[in-house]
Structure formats: structure tokens, C-alpha cells
Amino acid sequence: MLEPRGELVLRTLAMPADTNPNGDIFGGWLLSQMDIAGGIAAKQRSHSRISTVAIESMSFHQPVNVGDVICCYAEIMHVGTTSMRIKLEVWITNMPFNQQRIKVTEGIFTFVAIDEDGRPQSVDRDE
Ligand SMILES: CCCCCCCCCCCCCCCC(=O)SCCNC(=O)CCNC(=O)[C@H](O)C(C)(C)COP(=O)(O)OP(=O)(O)OC[C@H]1O[C@@H](n2cnc3c(N)ncnc32)[C@H](O)[C@@H]1OP(=O)(O)O
């Protein structure tokens, strides 16, 4: 059975306010949760302020419904001089009805460590 890749960094509940006109959860809301999850992982890795600089290859595999518990997993794929490329996966569970986890969304986000003035600053590659 397929398993999530990376560390669980964020878990939250899809609410009625997050729906689109079809009644499913907005893709933009999911992307926002992934950005927050990636931001947490990047901050943990760099110990500094961070900023999202790029989002690539977002895929939405399955609709998400109100009441689904969404779990964001982060895996740091590459640490550059100031940037971190992070793979994010969102899996849902619909407890207590269904204990099975389903991957609904994935994407690759790049974050940059920044200083107090918002300028890129180096990340320790050896950590
Ligand atoms: C401890 C635990 C508790 C945690 C508890 C708190 C958690 C806290 C969580 C916060 C979670 C919120 C996370 C939301 C974060 C936002 O919402 S940020 C808001 C949206 N983003 C922005 O507004 C960014 C706007 N852009 C900028 O300010 C500037 O472009 C940046 C990001 C400072 C970079 O400056 P720049 O002059 O473009 O930098 P440059 O030197 O050219 O490139 C820097 C690096 O980025 C790379 N890069 C640049 N452009 C790209 C691109 N298009 N694609 C890929 N890489 C690129 C370069 O290759 C370079 O990489 P390195 O070779 O250094 O590794």
C-alpha cells in the first residue's frame, strides 16, 4: 500500500467555509495549507525567516470534502545556498468512517531563507 513521503508537519480539518461552488474544497485552500506546511519545514531546516519563491508541478488527484482531515507531509529534496526545494503531499482521512489514507494533492515548493531585510541568506547545507 502507498505511504506518505516525508514528515507530517500539519494536520487540519476541511470546513464548510473552504468549499467551492461545487461543494468540494477549494484547490487554493489546499495550496495554502501546503505553503504553510512547507514554510514550517523550511523554517525548521534553516532556523530563519523564509519566503516562498516558487511552486512547481502541483497536482490535484482527488476532490477533498468537508469533514476530511488533511495531513501535509514535507520532504526536503534539496538545500541550495539560500533555497530549499521541498516536496509536499496532502493525504486525507475521513475518521472515524474510513481509516484509510488517500493522497489528494502533491507539489514541489521552493523556499528561500531571508534576513530581517528580506534578502536571501545562506542555509547550513551540512545540517
Ligand atoms: C521552528 C518551527 C516553528 C515554526 C513556526 C513558524 C512557522 C512559520 C511558517 C510560515 C509559513 C508561511 C509560509 C508562507 C510564506 C509566504 O507566503 S512568502 C510570500 C510570498 N512570497 C514572496 O512574496 C516572495 C517574493 N520574492 C522575494 O522577496 C525574492 O524573490 C526572494 C524570495 C527574497 C529571493 O530574492 P532573489 O533576489 O530573487 O534571490 P536570488 O538570489 O535570485 O535567489 C535566491 C535563491 O532562490 C532561488 N530561486 C529564485 N527564483 C527561483 C524560482 N523561480 N524557482 C526556483 N528557485 C528560485 C535561486 O536559485 C536561489 O537559490 P540558491 O542557489 O541560493 O539556493
Side-chain angles (χ1 to χ4, degrees):
M1 197 166 73
L2 274 180
E3 290 291 326
R5 283 179 57 176
E7 181 192 351
L8 177 62
V9 285
L10 185 144
R11 199 159 74 135
T12 190
L13 182 65
M15 299 288 276
D18 307 318
T19 52
N20 62 26
N22 299 330
D24 305 319
I25 297 299
F26 263 119
W29 180 81
L30 283 167
L31 191 144
S32 162
Q33 303 308 309
M34 295 165 81
D35 197 21
I36 294 168
I40 292 170
K43 189 173 176 68
Q44 277 176 333
R45 177 62 183 79
S46 63
H47 309 289
S48 78
R49 288 177 64 192
I50 50 90
S51 192
T52 315
V53 74
I55 299 174
E56 58 180 289
S57 68
M58 276 290 300
S59 305
F60 295 92
H61 302 299
Q62 298 237 12
V64 175
N65 298 303
V66 170
D68 287 342
V69 175
I70 73 142
C71 304
C72 296
Y73 292 83
E75 181 181 35
I76 297 180
M77 301 177 72
H78 178 74
V79 177
T81 306
T82 65
S83 69
M84 293 152 283
R85 199 159 175 263
I86 300 181
K87 168 91 188 284
L88 286 147
E89 293 185 357
V90 178
W91 291 65
I92 55 165
T93 56
N94 191 338
M95 296 179 288
F97 311 109
N98 183 357
Q99 295 288 338
Q100 197 188 348
R101 289 183 293 194
I102 302 163
K103 181 162 71 175
V104 290
T105 306
E106 61 191 314
I108 297 174
F109 289 54
T110 302
F111 298 87
V112 174
I114 52 171
D115 64 18
E116 287 303 314
D117 299 319
R119 287 188 300 251
Q121 68 176 8
S122 55
V123 179
D124 186 354
R125 287 189 202 216
D126 298 329
E127 194 171 297

